[in-house]
């Protein structure tokens, strides 16, 4: 697409002024006609020149996986094949919801050469995103037109939760808790189900302990030694319903819940426990409890594109599904945004889960609620808002008390504290051997 340049618009303005002047000075009519012919020839010739001008080849270089909230570099590489120098304005169509610094870029070519434009982006939303084509605007050789065109290819990227700082916080939390309470992993040898090591046969070993392949290879009796199963199971039940769309700052409550899931999974796996995950109130994802070091990566792949839905979360149905899938006793951590109207549904769900598992409900509290209760009262509107906030907080606390009366562990924390508080509660449960 070609757009008229400011030079062409200025020339047209002068010609229009001459045309108006001919009404009062007929003698300049021939001059006005001549100027019009020149303008037409100039514009037409420059149009043909700019249309014949080859567009530069373009390539974008960006990491295919980005971390939410982190600045990432992007490079746009262009190769100008024309022999005539040109001015280029470059804009890269980054995904909506990304912040950028360094666009648009202005480049002046010196003939046939390659050059690069560097800028950076900051992703604010997890999930799958797409960079569009690169948009260029070039000035025509005779400066009558601006040619606007798109070059290069679209490119898909994935934005994951930013796990690096979470891991650092997790390690500090684990070290502090272990130092304070003396929590450490212990292994008991015996007749459990987990294989420990091979050793020489001892009198009293049962026949099932003998490893016949190792015995044949070593030329002497070799027995297997087992250890008792000491790993615990952590099942993370994440609410994807409409309540989790509430935002505190740049992140939603659901984002904070996913950060806490990754942090808790990382800590639990480092203590040798199994970690599984299930979602409710939106797209249903399920990962059985595993203790592989790749479990955190699997959780990332399964949850990076999830967003809170507009559905009402059915806690009872989720509890029934979890009981069918996970029969061994576990610590079930439900991450949600508790409201007083969820009371009966959530109590019924925790009763079902409590028949087999230990249940922890981690509820995110809106920062706006705390702010409303701490604000000074200047007028009747402020007083009404304070009364509403206090009433809501009391109903919420009453709902949590009813859950605790059912034997449910409960947390009511600000979103930014959810990760560290859930890790601390998990470590306390592990230290007390409640499972």
């Amino acid at each position: 697409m070609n757009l008229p340049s400011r030079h062409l618009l200025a020339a047209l303005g002068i010609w229009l002024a001459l045309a108006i002047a001919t009404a009062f000075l007929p003698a300049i009519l021939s001059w006005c006609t001549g100027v019009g012919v020149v303008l037409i020839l100039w514009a037409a010739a420059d149009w043909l020149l700019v249309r014949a001008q080859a567009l530069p080849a373009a390539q974008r270089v960006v990491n295919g996986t980005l971390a939410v909230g982190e600045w990432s570099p992007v490079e746009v590489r262009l190769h100008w094949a024309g022999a005539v120098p040109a001015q280029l304005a470059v804009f890269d169509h980054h995904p909506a919801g990304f912040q950028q610094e360094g666009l648009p870029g202005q480049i002046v070519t010196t003939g046939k050469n390659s050059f690069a434009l560097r800028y950076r982006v900051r992703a604010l939303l997890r999930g799958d995103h797409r960079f569009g084509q690169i948009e260029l605007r070039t000035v025509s050789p005779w400066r009558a037109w601006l040619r606007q065109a798109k070059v290069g290819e679209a490119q898909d990227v994935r934005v994951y939760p930013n796990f690096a700082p979470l891991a650092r916080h997790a390690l500090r939390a684990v070290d502090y808790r272990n130092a304070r309470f003396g929590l450490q992993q212990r292994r008991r040898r015996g007749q459990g189900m987990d294989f420990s090591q091979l050793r020489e046969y001892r009198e009293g070993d049962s026949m099932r302990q003998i490893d016949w392949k190792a015995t044949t290879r070593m030329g002497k009796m070799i027995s297997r030694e087992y250890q008792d199963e000491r790993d615990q199971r952590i099942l993370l039940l994440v609410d994807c319903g409409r309540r989790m769309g509430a935002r505190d700052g740049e992140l939603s409550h659901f984002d904070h819940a996913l950060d806490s899931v990754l942090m808790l999974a990382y800590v639990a796996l480092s203590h040798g426990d199994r970690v599984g995950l299930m979602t409710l109130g939106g797209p249903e994802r399920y990962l059985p409890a595993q203790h592989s070091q790749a479990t955190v990566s699997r959780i990332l792949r399964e949850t990076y594109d999830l967003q809170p839905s507009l559905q009402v979360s059915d806690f009872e149905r989720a509890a029934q599904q979890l009981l069918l899938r996970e029969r061994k006793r576990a610590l079930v951590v439900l991450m949600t945004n508790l409201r007083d109207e969820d009371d009966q549904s959530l109590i019924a769900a925790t009763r079902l889960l409590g028949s087999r598992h230990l249940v922890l409900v981690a509820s995110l509290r809106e920062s706006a609620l705390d702010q409303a209760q701490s604000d000074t009262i200047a007028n009747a509107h402020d007083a009404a808002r304070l009364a509403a906030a206090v009433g809501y907080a009391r109903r919420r606390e009453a709902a949590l008390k009813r859950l605790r009366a059912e034997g449910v562990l409960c947390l009511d924390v600000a979103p930014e504290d959810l990760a560290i508080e859930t890790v601390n509660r998990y470590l306390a449960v592990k230290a007390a051997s409640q499972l």
Side-chain angles (χ1 to χ4, degrees):
M1 179 176 64
N2 288 349
L3 303 174
S5 70
R6 59 187 179 88
H7 301 90
L8 178 58
L9 293 176
L12 289 173
I14 294 172
W15 178 76
L16 180 61
L18 286 174
I20 295 173
T22 58
F24 305 97
L25 300 170
I28 65 171
L29 179 60
S30 59
W31 283 89
C32 181
T33 304
V35 170
V37 171
V38 170
L39 281 178
I40 293 173
L41 293 175
W42 171 47
D46 204 27
W47 176 283
L48 295 175
L49 287 174
V50 74
R51 294 299 295 177
Q53 200 173 50
L55 291 172
Q59 180 187 14
R60 179 191 303 106
V61 180
V62 61
N63 197 334
T65 57
L66 307 177
V68 67
E70 290 292 315
W71 288 101
S72 302
V74 183
E75 184 176 271
V76 176
R77 298 174 180 172
L78 299 169
H79 178 71
W80 181 256
V84 179
Q87 296 180 9
L88 297 177
V90 183
F91 185 83
D92 193 9
H93 286 271
H94 57 78
F98 279 36
Q99 295 178 343
Q100 62 86 15
E101 290 183 354
L103 289 177
Q106 301 290 333
I107 297 172
V108 178
T109 70
T110 57
K112 295 183 178 180
N113 65 335
S114 298
F115 42 89
L117 170 69
R118 296 176 181 86
Y119 70 101
R120 63 177 190 163
V121 294
R122 181 170 178 257
L124 301 179
L125 294 173
R126 293 171 293 97
D128 295 314
H129 298 275
R130 166 166 284 204
F131 282 82
Q133 289 182 285
I134 301 162
E135 188 165 342
L136 302 178
R137 180 175 288 182
T138 62
V139 181
S140 62
W142 291 354
R143 298 181 177 274
W145 302 97
L146 298 175
R147 185 180 184 185
Q148 190 166 298
K150 292 182 178 180
V151 296
E153 300 291 336
Q155 187 172 350
D156 295 324
V157 295
R158 290 181 173 183
V159 178
Y160 288 95
N162 190 9
F163 184 55
L166 295 176
R168 289 194 295 271
H169 288 305
L171 289 174
R172 285 199 293 268
V174 171
D175 291 343
Y176 170 76
R177 191 83 189 190
N178 289 351
R180 184 178 179 185
F181 296 100
L183 179 63
Q184 53 185 291
Q185 294 176 324
R186 296 183 175 90
R187 183 177 65 185
R188 295 191 306 179
R189 294 177 179 175
Q191 299 296 320
M193 296 301 294
D194 287 351
F195 174 75
S196 175
Q197 63 182 356
L198 293 175
R199 59 167 174 78
E200 291 189 17
Y201 176 83
R202 297 172 187 167
E203 185 176 354
D205 287 348
S206 64
M207 294 295 293
R208 76 178 183 89
Q209 285 184 255
I210 299 175
D211 188 311
W212 295 107
K213 290 184 178 179
T215 297
T216 302
R217 186 171 62 253
M218 300 295 292
K220 56 183 178 181
M221 298 290 284
I222 301 295
S223 295
R224 299 188 189 96
E225 187 171 75
Y226 297 88
Q227 64 184 26
D228 290 343
E229 291 179 299
R230 300 293 293 164
D231 61 316
Q232 297 175 350
R233 304 171 73 84
I234 314 298
L235 304 177
L236 304 170
L237 190 57
V238 185
D239 187 0
C240 302
R242 62 185 182 184
R243 303 278 171 72
M244 300 298 282
R247 303 189 76 86
D248 283 306
E250 292 182 344
L251 298 180
S252 68
H253 283 193
F254 187 70
D255 289 316
H256 286 289
L258 283 189
D259 289 347
S260 303
V261 162
L262 294 171
M263 184 169 169
L264 183 53
Y266 182 82
V267 174
L269 290 165
S270 69
H271 279 79
D273 291 339
R274 297 173 180 267
V275 179
L277 175 134
M278 196 177 91
T279 61
L280 72 147
E284 295 185 358
R285 309 282 172 87
Y286 171 69
L287 285 173
Q290 300 172 335
H291 57 62
S292 165
Q293 290 302 315
T295 300
V296 172
S297 297
R298 280 195 287 269
I299 292 175
L300 272 173
R301 289 195 299 270
E302 286 293 325
T303 60
Y304 82 93
D305 60 336
L306 287 177
Q307 300 294 342
S309 70
L310 297 178
Q311 297 182 24
V312 176
S313 301
D314 191 337
F315 296 108
E316 289 186 71
R317 178 174 175 271
Q320 292 168 356
Q321 290 181 331
L322 191 60
L323 286 175
L324 291 174
R325 289 167 168 170
E326 298 287 348
R327 299 188 175 278
K328 291 186 178 180
R329 183 169 171 78
L331 170 64
V332 177
V333 182
L334 170 59
M335 296 186 183
T336 186
N337 183 340
L338 177 64
R339 305 292 177 91
D340 58 314
E341 59 264 32
D342 297 328
D343 188 13
Q344 296 304 316
S345 173
L346 192 52
I347 285 178
T350 54
R351 283 175 180 169
L352 281 173
L353 292 172
S355 63
R356 185 177 300 158
H357 305 295
L358 178 65
V359 182
L360 167 62
V361 174
S363 177
L364 291 87
R365 185 177 65 249
E366 294 90 343
S367 299
L369 180 64
D370 296 334
Q371 183 65 36
Q373 295 181 81
S374 61
D375 286 344
T376 57
I377 300 176
N379 49 47
H381 178 269
D382 293 341
R385 184 175 62 178
L386 175 61
V390 170
Y392 176 81
R394 287 177 177 174
R395 292 193 299 273
R396 184 189 183 108
E397 183 58 34
L400 289 169
K401 285 182 178 179
R402 286 190 288 271
L403 282 173
R404 293 187 181 106
E406 295 287 332
V408 177
L409 303 176
C410 293
L411 291 175
D412 184 33
V413 295
E416 61 271 15
D417 298 327
L418 178 64
I420 195 69
E421 290 297 330
T422 51
V423 167
N424 283 337
R425 185 56 64 92
Y426 153 75
L427 293 173
V429 168
K430 191 171 181 68
S433 300
Q434 289 182 254
L435 289 183

